Amino acid sequence: MKRFFYAAIFVIGLSSSMGFGASDAHAITVERVVSPKGVVAWLVEDHTNPIIAMNFAFRGGAALDPKGKAGVANLVSGLLDEGAGKLKSQAFQRRLQDISASLRFDAGRDTFAGSLKTLTAHRDRAFDLTRLALSAPRFDRSAVARIRAQVEAGLRYESEDPDTVATKKFFATVFRGHPYAHSVAGTAKSVRAITIADLKAFHDKYMTRGNLVIGVSGDITPAELAPALDRIFGALPAHGAPTKLPTVGAQGKGRVVVVKKNVAQSAIVFGEQGVRRSDPDFYSAYVMNYILGGGGFTSRLFSQVREKRGLAYSVSSGLYPLDHAALIMGNAGTASPKAGETIKVVRDVWRRLGTDGATAGELKDAKTYLTGSFALRFTSNDAVASILTAMQLEHLGIDYLDKRNGYIQKVTLADVNRVAKRLLKADALTFVVAGDPKGKIKVR
């Protein structure tokens, strides 16, 4: 759960620096470790510091929440470390604090994830606490009431934040009728409707070894990790309920939806149909998006919307692939009187790249940045463990780190322009504005 007072709770005194620098990222070796019970993890050893980072994810997240009870997965994520086994909430947290370990859980639309960071000297105690949280959560009535109150407070805060309001309305519009339309945190009404039985049911159905992927980085060998995997995850059921959902395409094509908020700056979210991670055009779309709005100060959206016209404080775009859908979407923050003009310029930039294509210079710059900056992602054990988990969720292969920049380099100008023409349909671009826009906005 994205806790609203997160930083204060989970600050621990662990350095997470890794032994390899950016220039060494290409030399990272990923090992596949299998426990005696068959639990699989991908491992990057790094014995520079006495720290172990573990990231794991169960397939199936908030999109599987029961109808009318959106927020179940999110509430579960806030409760797994609020008491487990014989340990009530404070006792469980004190055990973690005593060994300077960090244990966190988070729900997304497609996954339920967890992360553990521990000193090597205390790893066995940290592994046991993780096992308890996963296999024997208490869901005590008092803890449920407290975390539910935190979620409700967060929802009230988010209801006043234009960026969050616009994003939620955008998903509700483009995924109308599908579970992706619902916010991960749910609504005040749906969160109040969730029972302890709902929480236990979600845990029992989806936290199984059959749904699990694990990434580990740090001061542990394959021989040490294998039995640890059984120690942590061995008590979970082998299989659970199905996690498959219907595939859905982006709806709301071409609409401009306004959510009135009395604020000086309007938040704008826009997007349309994108590409799935498994799509053969994914890397071409990835490079194309860098040129469109992913490249920060060098992107076309930034150049036209902010630099040349001063319309927005920020503007960007990105690919948003989900398990059962895909978007290419973006956002901008602008003074409310400028919202209408901002929308017009975004559509123009979208249309021009789709019809005229990119230039050879833009392609060269995009490749240089996207390949050169890749190594900067490997700056901590936490980051590496998270990447290893994502690689497994997306079925990218254990040699992905060696191949990834090659995929980018193979993208040609013809590929970029073909994908731009395929994806960038300016008239199908859906906008949601949260604020008090005063310009001329054609609401469809």
mmCIF file of all heavy atoms in Angstrom, residues 2 17 30 46 59 64 79 103 128 139 172 208 219 227 251 294 306 348-349 361 371 380 389 406-408 418:
data_model
loop_
_atom_site.group_PDB
_atom_site.id
_atom_site.type_symbol
_atom_site.label_atom_id
_atom_site.label_comp_id
_atom_site.label_asym_id
_atom_site.label_seq_id
_atom_site.Cartn_x
_atom_site.Cartn_y
_atom_site.Cartn_z
ATOM 1 N N LYS A 2 0.509 2.227 -0.774
ATOM 2 C CA LYS A 2 1.236 3.478 -0.754
ATOM 3 C C LYS A 2 0.834 4.231 0.491
ATOM 4 O O LYS A 2 -0.152 4.943 0.520
ATOM 5 C CB LYS A 2 0.937 4.288 -2.006
ATOM 6 C CG LYS A 2 1.534 3.670 -3.252
ATOM 7 C CD LYS A 2 1.267 4.516 -4.444
ATOM 8 C CE LYS A 2 1.885 3.890 -5.682
ATOM 9 N NZ LYS A 2 1.559 4.656 -6.878
ATOM 10 N N SER A 17 24.463 1.148 -1.561
ATOM 11 C CA SER A 17 25.376 1.257 -2.695
ATOM 12 C C SER A 17 25.874 -0.116 -3.111
ATOM 13 O O SER A 17 26.108 -0.986 -2.289
ATOM 14 C CB SER A 17 26.556 2.135 -2.312
ATOM 15 O OG SER A 17 26.105 3.435 -2.007
ATOM 16 N N VAL A 30 23.422 -12.692 -13.939
ATOM 17 C CA VAL A 30 22.177 -13.109 -13.300
ATOM 18 C C VAL A 30 22.158 -14.634 -13.225
ATOM 19 O O VAL A 30 22.325 -15.317 -14.244
ATOM 20 C CB VAL A 30 20.950 -12.614 -14.096
ATOM 21 C CG1 VAL A 30 19.664 -13.003 -13.367
ATOM 22 C CG2 VAL A 30 21.014 -11.107 -14.292
ATOM 23 N N ASP A 46 26.470 -9.577 -4.962
ATOM 24 C CA ASP A 46 27.307 -8.392 -4.760
ATOM 25 C C ASP A 46 27.722 -8.388 -3.292
ATOM 26 O O ASP A 46 26.904 -8.111 -2.420
ATOM 27 C CB ASP A 46 26.559 -7.108 -5.109
ATOM 28 C CG ASP A 46 27.389 -5.881 -4.762
ATOM 29 O OD1 ASP A 46 28.629 -5.953 -4.890
ATOM 30 O OD2 ASP A 46 26.806 -4.862 -4.342
ATOM 31 N N ARG A 59 1.613 -12.516 -9.213
ATOM 32 C CA ARG A 59 0.760 -12.083 -10.323
ATOM 33 C C ARG A 59 -0.681 -11.969 -9.815
ATOM 34 O O ARG A 59 -1.185 -12.870 -9.155
ATOM 35 C CB ARG A 59 0.828 -13.082 -11.474
ATOM 36 C CG ARG A 59 2.230 -13.263 -12.043
ATOM 37 C CD ARG A 59 2.230 -14.232 -13.205
ATOM 38 N NE ARG A 59 3.589 -14.637 -13.551
ATOM 39 C CZ ARG A 59 4.405 -13.928 -14.313
ATOM 40 N NH1 ARG A 59 3.977 -12.787 -14.807
ATOM 41 N NH2 ARG A 59 5.631 -14.342 -14.588
ATOM 42 N N LEU A 64 -8.102 -7.539 -9.402
ATOM 43 C CA LEU A 64 -8.860 -8.725 -8.979
ATOM 44 C C LEU A 64 -9.738 -8.446 -7.763
ATOM 45 O O LEU A 64 -10.391 -9.363 -7.250
ATOM 46 C CB LEU A 64 -7.892 -9.870 -8.659
ATOM 47 C CG LEU A 64 -7.026 -10.352 -9.824
ATOM 48 C CD1 LEU A 64 -5.967 -11.335 -9.329
ATOM 49 C CD2 LEU A 64 -7.889 -11.013 -10.890
ATOM 50 N N LEU A 79 -1.428 -4.305 5.635
ATOM 51 C CA LEU A 79 -1.671 -5.069 6.865
ATOM 52 C C LEU A 79 -0.749 -6.269 7.067
ATOM 53 O O LEU A 79 -0.707 -6.822 8.162
ATOM 54 C CB LEU A 79 -3.128 -5.556 6.872
ATOM 55 C CG LEU A 79 -4.142 -4.463 7.213
ATOM 56 C CD1 LEU A 79 -5.536 -4.840 6.741
ATOM 57 C CD2 LEU A 79 -4.150 -4.207 8.723
ATOM 58 N N LEU A 103 10.731 -4.070 5.535
ATOM 59 C CA LEU A 103 9.818 -5.001 4.867
ATOM 60 C C LEU A 103 8.613 -4.195 4.410
ATOM 61 O O LEU A 103 7.921 -3.579 5.225
ATOM 62 C CB LEU A 103 9.382 -6.109 5.827
ATOM 63 C CG LEU A 103 8.395 -7.149 5.280
ATOM 64 C CD1 LEU A 103 8.986 -7.905 4.097
ATOM 65 C CD2 LEU A 103 7.980 -8.122 6.391
ATOM 66 N N ASP A 128 12.610 -14.944 8.528
ATOM 67 C CA ASP A 128 11.514 -15.523 9.314
ATOM 68 C C ASP A 128 10.351 -14.539 9.465
ATOM 69 O O ASP A 128 9.177 -14.939 9.430
ATOM 70 C CB ASP A 128 12.030 -15.944 10.697
ATOM 71 C CG ASP A 128 12.860 -17.215 10.637
ATOM 72 O OD1 ASP A 128 12.758 -17.945 9.621
ATOM 73 O OD2 ASP A 128 13.629 -17.475 11.584
ATOM 74 N N PHE A 139 -4.410 -9.887 10.540
ATOM 75 C CA PHE A 139 -5.584 -9.068 10.218
ATOM 76 C C PHE A 139 -6.400 -8.771 11.482
ATOM 77 O O PHE A 139 -7.630 -8.926 11.494
ATOM 78 C CB PHE A 139 -6.460 -9.747 9.167
ATOM 79 C CG PHE A 139 -5.780 -9.949 7.838
ATOM 80 C CD1 PHE A 139 -5.588 -11.221 7.311
ATOM 81 C CD2 PHE A 139 -5.321 -8.861 7.097
ATOM 82 C CE1 PHE A 139 -4.960 -11.415 6.095
ATOM 83 C CE2 PHE A 139 -4.687 -9.047 5.870
ATOM 84 C CZ PHE A 139 -4.504 -10.331 5.367
ATOM 85 N N ALA A 172 -10.793 5.795 -15.376
ATOM 86 C CA ALA A 172 -12.221 5.459 -15.356
ATOM 87 C C ALA A 172 -12.851 5.651 -16.733
ATOM 88 O O ALA A 172 -13.794 4.938 -17.105
ATOM 89 C CB ALA A 172 -12.940 6.333 -14.323
ATOM 90 N N THR A 208 0.369 -17.344 -3.665
ATOM 91 C CA THR A 208 0.755 -18.737 -3.822
ATOM 92 C C THR A 208 2.079 -18.822 -4.570
ATOM 93 O O THR A 208 2.467 -17.894 -5.286
ATOM 94 C CB THR A 208 -0.318 -19.499 -4.603
ATOM 95 O OG1 THR A 208 -0.362 -19.009 -5.957
ATOM 96 C CG2 THR A 208 -1.696 -19.336 -3.960
ATOM 97 N N ASP A 219 24.530 -9.587 -0.745
ATOM 98 C CA ASP A 219 25.557 -10.407 -0.084
ATOM 99 C C ASP A 219 25.024 -11.794 0.278
ATOM 100 O O ASP A 219 24.856 -12.116 1.460
ATOM 101 C CB ASP A 219 26.028 -9.645 1.168
ATOM 102 C CG ASP A 219 27.179 -10.338 1.857
ATOM 103 O OD1 ASP A 219 27.928 -11.074 1.183
ATOM 104 O OD2 ASP A 219 27.330 -10.141 3.078
ATOM 105 N N PRO A 227 18.109 -22.643 0.175
ATOM 106 C CA PRO A 227 17.282 -23.025 1.335
ATOM 107 C C PRO A 227 16.500 -21.858 1.928
ATOM 108 O O PRO A 227 15.422 -22.063 2.509
ATOM 109 C CB PRO A 227 18.318 -23.569 2.339
ATOM 110 C CG PRO A 227 19.626 -22.967 1.920
ATOM 111 C CD PRO A 227 19.553 -22.806 0.443
ATOM 112 N N GLN A 251 -10.783 3.205 -24.411
ATOM 113 C CA GLN A 251 -12.051 3.793 -24.840
ATOM 114 C C GLN A 251 -11.989 5.318 -24.693
ATOM 115 O O GLN A 251 -10.934 5.871 -24.449
ATOM 116 C CB GLN A 251 -13.184 3.228 -23.986
ATOM 117 C CG GLN A 251 -13.250 1.702 -23.981
ATOM 118 C CD GLN A 251 -14.208 1.173 -22.935
ATOM 119 O OE1 GLN A 251 -15.317 1.657 -22.789
ATOM 120 N NE2 GLN A 251 -13.775 0.170 -22.183
ATOM 121 N N GLY A 294 9.047 11.577 -23.963
ATOM 122 C CA GLY A 294 9.792 10.877 -22.917
ATOM 123 C C GLY A 294 11.175 11.424 -22.696
ATOM 124 O O GLY A 294 11.849 11.045 -21.741
ATOM 125 N N ARG A 306 6.148 23.891 -23.708
ATOM 126 C CA ARG A 306 6.762 24.729 -22.665
ATOM 127 C C ARG A 306 7.759 25.749 -23.220
ATOM 128 O O ARG A 306 7.628 26.943 -22.977
ATOM 129 C CB ARG A 306 7.470 23.847 -21.634
ATOM 130 C CG ARG A 306 8.263 24.694 -20.648
ATOM 131 C CD ARG A 306 8.682 23.994 -19.422
ATOM 132 N NE ARG A 306 9.612 24.830 -18.664
ATOM 133 C CZ ARG A 306 9.857 24.691 -17.389
ATOM 134 N NH1 ARG A 306 9.259 23.755 -16.706
ATOM 135 N NH2 ARG A 306 10.720 25.478 -16.776
ATOM 136 N N ASP A 348 -1.607 18.808 -31.792
ATOM 137 C CA ASP A 348 -0.835 19.134 -32.998
ATOM 138 C C ASP A 348 0.497 18.382 -33.027
ATOM 139 O O ASP A 348 0.911 17.861 -34.067
ATOM 140 C CB ASP A 348 -0.588 20.647 -33.064
ATOM 141 C CG ASP A 348 -1.856 21.426 -33.393
ATOM 142 O OD1 ASP A 348 -2.834 20.792 -33.846
ATOM 143 O OD2 ASP A 348 -1.872 22.646 -33.171
ATOM 144 N N VAL A 349 1.186 18.368 -31.874
ATOM 145 C CA VAL A 349 2.465 17.647 -31.804
ATOM 146 C C VAL A 349 2.240 16.167 -32.049
ATOM 147 O O VAL A 349 2.999 15.509 -32.780
ATOM 148 C CB VAL A 349 3.126 17.877 -30.425
ATOM 149 C CG1 VAL A 349 4.346 16.970 -30.263
ATOM 150 C CG2 VAL A 349 3.510 19.341 -30.260
ATOM 151 N N GLY A 361 18.276 12.745 -36.938
ATOM 152 C CA GLY A 361 18.949 13.307 -35.775
ATOM 153 C C GLY A 361 18.226 12.981 -34.480
ATOM 154 O O GLY A 361 18.863 12.662 -33.465
ATOM 155 N N THR A 371 20.322 4.063 -24.538
ATOM 156 C CA THR A 371 21.322 3.018 -24.297
ATOM 157 C C THR A 371 22.350 3.474 -23.262
ATOM 158 O O THR A 371 22.742 2.698 -22.391
ATOM 159 C CB THR A 371 22.041 2.630 -25.599
ATOM 160 O OG1 THR A 371 22.618 3.810 -26.198
ATOM 161 C CG2 THR A 371 21.084 1.989 -26.584
ATOM 162 N N SER A 380 21.755 0.450 -6.995
ATOM 163 C CA SER A 380 21.566 -0.088 -5.645
ATOM 164 C C SER A 380 21.099 -1.530 -5.737
ATOM 165 O O SER A 380 20.566 -1.976 -6.763
ATOM 166 C CB SER A 380 20.532 0.736 -4.874
ATOM 167 O OG SER A 380 19.246 0.532 -5.413
ATOM 168 N N THR A 389 12.929 -8.853 -10.823
ATOM 169 C CA THR A 389 11.525 -9.248 -10.694
ATOM 170 C C THR A 389 10.726 -8.833 -11.917
ATOM 171 O O THR A 389 9.935 -9.620 -12.465
ATOM 172 C CB THR A 389 10.919 -8.619 -9.428
ATOM 173 O OG1 THR A 389 11.678 -9.029 -8.294
ATOM 174 C CG2 THR A 389 9.482 -9.048 -9.236
ATOM 175 N N GLY A 406 20.885 -3.803 -27.420
ATOM 176 C CA GLY A 406 20.872 -4.242 -28.813
ATOM 177 C C GLY A 406 19.491 -4.080 -29.438
ATOM 178 O O GLY A 406 19.371 -3.732 -30.624
ATOM 179 N N TYR A 407 18.440 -4.337 -28.651
ATOM 180 C CA TYR A 407 17.077 -4.131 -29.148
ATOM 181 C C TYR A 407 16.858 -2.658 -29.532
ATOM 182 O O TYR A 407 16.221 -2.350 -30.541
ATOM 183 C CB TYR A 407 16.045 -4.533 -28.093
ATOM 184 C CG TYR A 407 16.067 -5.992 -27.697
ATOM 185 C CD1 TYR A 407 15.794 -6.383 -26.390
ATOM 186 C CD2 TYR A 407 16.342 -6.989 -28.630
ATOM 187 C CE1 TYR A 407 15.810 -7.718 -26.022
ATOM 188 C CE2 TYR A 407 16.356 -8.324 -28.269
ATOM 189 C CZ TYR A 407 16.100 -8.689 -26.959
ATOM 190 O OH TYR A 407 16.114 -10.006 -26.598
ATOM 191 N N ILE A 408 17.395 -1.759 -28.702
ATOM 192 C CA ILE A 408 17.252 -0.323 -28.990
ATOM 193 C C ILE A 408 18.044 0.042 -30.253
ATOM 194 O O ILE A 408 17.548 0.774 -31.121
ATOM 195 C CB ILE A 408 17.762 0.517 -27.796
ATOM 196 C CG1 ILE A 408 16.986 0.172 -26.518
ATOM 197 C CG2 ILE A 408 17.669 2.014 -28.119
ATOM 198 C CD1 ILE A 408 15.562 0.584 -26.503
ATOM 199 N N ARG A 418 6.901 4.201 -38.743
ATOM 200 C CA ARG A 418 5.781 3.266 -38.917
ATOM 201 C C ARG A 418 4.968 3.167 -37.614
ATOM 202 O O ARG A 418 3.724 3.198 -37.644
ATOM 203 C CB ARG A 418 6.326 1.884 -39.309
ATOM 204 C CG ARG A 418 5.267 0.780 -39.354
ATOM 205 C CD ARG A 418 5.865 -0.535 -39.824
ATOM 206 N NE ARG A 418 7.093 -0.880 -39.124
ATOM 207 C CZ ARG A 418 7.137 -1.385 -37.903
ATOM 208 N NH1 ARG A 418 6.006 -1.603 -37.249
ATOM 209 N NH2 ARG A 418 8.289 -1.673 -37.336
#
